[in-house]
Amino acid sequence: MLASRLLSILMLLQTRGRVSASELAREFEVSVRTIHRDIDQLSAAGIPVYAERGRSGGFALMDGYRTKLTGLTKPEAEALLLAGLPGPAAQLGLADMLSAARLKLLAALPANLQRDAERVAARFHLDPVAWFRDADPLPSLQTVAKAVWEEKCLKLRYRNAGEIYARKLGPLGLVLKAGVWYLVAQSGKSVRTYRVAAMSDPEVTEEPFVRPKGFDLAAHWDKAARAYETGAYPIRAEVRLSPKGVALLPALGAYVRDEAAKSASKPNRQGWIRCTVPLEPGEAGLRDLLRLGGDMELLGPPDLRAKMAELLASMARRHAG
């Protein structure tokens, strides 16, 4: 803890220049007396730190004493500072380490790059959670992340479709998708995806897990995501859409929008088109189409059109008079 604080004090002095003892005490949640002892230890270690008295005084490093990252360009430094997501880092238990790493990066940059690099944090904020929803409660995430990092098998209980199952998994990697954490893991001979929020009682075992040679987490996720979208929308509905209906398609998701665009006919004189829209089975698909309102006409298949007509007639009866 002391060594980490001493290094962080050094980085702060390199980044901010002159810093008072009270500011350092607040930063590290220690007493002013402790800060003075830390400064004495830095001096004893050969760090050229000196004190200036007075209202605007404080501790500073001798001019010219700093560590520079050679070869790091301005765009590279900005990209590194933009890459850290404070929300997900906190969920993983890495918030303090991310903050310390950012501080060290800034301190090591040449002075002419520091100001521009810091502007990134002031002008860009990354919020990975989708609109109208909160982040999942994630009591299991840090344990799962530990199993991933240490390459140990993971025991847990998993909730799926209202049932709870015991699982023993070989963790391959964690993925953050639209604010939701998923674990990609090997179960038996299969590689599957598990939602971390549906896990309970996780336990990192002492049994090592050997990752399949050549496994690429990003490539696997892209392939699995496409397969999931295709499998989740097995129904193909023939519809007519007004120009406004076409503009509303993104509300049903990028996959639905793109599939509809591939099959779209030329607009008629009123601007309406015919296209094929992928849907989830059952009432979920009908609810999606209802989001398009009067700017959509369902043409087929006949059984789906009949269900839509029955649903709309029922709604009309309830709202009549």
Side-chain angles (χ1 to χ4, degrees):
M1 182 66 182
L2 173 59
S4 175
R5 188 172 68 244
L6 292 176
L7 182 58
S8 295
I9 290 173
L10 174 59
M11 296 299 104
L12 271 174
L13 294 176
Q14 286 196 179
T15 304
R16 301 182 186 175
R18 186 181 296 106
V19 185
S20 70
S22 58
E23 288 174 323
L24 290 172
R26 285 194 300 272
E27 182 78 25
F28 297 104
E29 298 181 345
V30 296
S31 67
V32 171
R33 180 176 296 180
T34 297
I35 291 298
H36 281 281
R37 285 199 298 265
D38 290 344
I39 295 296
D40 289 340
Q41 291 199 43
L42 286 174
S43 297
I47 305 299
V49 57
Y50 66 95
E52 288 188 354
R53 300 186 182 278
R55 180 176 297 179
S56 59
F59 299 109
L61 295 171
M62 294 289 290
D63 290 342
Y65 183 86
R66 63 185 308 106
T67 301
K68 297 183 179 181
L69 292 179
T70 57
L72 191 67
T73 66
K74 172 184 170 183
E76 289 170 343
E78 292 173 346
L80 285 172
L81 289 171
L82 186 61
L85 293 173
Q91 291 173 331
L92 287 167
L94 301 175
D96 291 342
M97 284 178 273
L98 177 65
S99 178
R102 181 180 180 276
L103 178 61
K104 291 172 186 176
L105 173 61
L106 283 172
L109 285 174
N112 62 320
L113 295 186
Q114 278 191 21
R115 182 178 58 84
D116 288 336
E118 284 191 297
R119 293 175 67 207
V120 172
R123 287 162 175 78
F124 295 93
H125 174 67
L126 306 181
D127 181 1
V129 180
W131 287 107
F132 307 113
R133 62 180 303 273
D134 294 326
D136 285 337
L138 296 167
S140 302
L141 180 59
Q142 294 185 28
T143 303
V144 173
K146 180 181 179 182
V148 171
W149 186 247
E150 295 182 356
E151 296 186 331
K152 297 287 183 64
C153 288
L154 183 67
K155 288 184 178 180
L156 52 85
R157 295 167 64 81
Y158 191 72
R159 184 178 67 256
N160 185 24
E163 300 290 334
I164 297 179
Y165 306 91
R167 288 285 184 267
K168 180 181 177 182
L169 305 174
L172 290 161
L174 281 164
V175 176
L176 179 63
K177 171 76 170 177
V180 179
W181 284 98
Y182 296 93
L183 173 68
V184 178
Q186 189 167 304
S187 177
K189 295 183 178 180
S190 301
V191 176
R192 302 182 183 276
T193 301
Y194 300 86
R195 186 165 176 160
V196 175
M199 297 176 178
S200 59
D201 303 323
E203 177 188 346
V204 181
T205 71
E206 292 302 316
E207 181 182 347
F209 169 66
V210 180
R211 294 170 62 86
K213 187 176 181 180
F215 178 80
D216 186 323
L217 179 62
H220 169 82
W221 180 261
D222 287 343
K223 183 178 179 180
R226 287 195 298 271
Y228 170 77
E229 289 179 333
T230 302
Y233 295 86
I235 309 299
R236 292 295 184 269
E238 297 295 325
V239 301
R240 291 178 68 243
L241 297 174
S242 73
K244 183 179 178 181
V246 174
L248 289 172
L249 272 178
L252 306 188
Y255 174 71
V256 174
R257 176 202 63 200
D258 294 344
E259 290 299 304
K262 293 176 184 177
S263 59
S265 67
K266 291 183 179 180
N268 64 15
R269 291 182 180 180
Q270 290 75 38
W272 287 63
I273 66 166
R274 293 176 64 125
C275 63
T276 301
V277 174
L279 296 176
E280 294 181 74
E283 293 184 1
L286 292 177
R287 285 198 298 268
D288 276 348
L289 287 179
L290 286 175
R291 298 174 70 180
L292 304 177
D295 293 283
M296 179 279 306
E297 179 188 356
L298 175 57
L299 304 175
D303 61 330
L304 192 64
R305 180 180 170 92
K307 290 178 181 177
M308 176 65 82
E310 181 182 345
L311 175 61
L312 292 176
S314 175
M315 292 175 62
R317 287 193 298 270
R318 281 196 298 272
H319 291 84

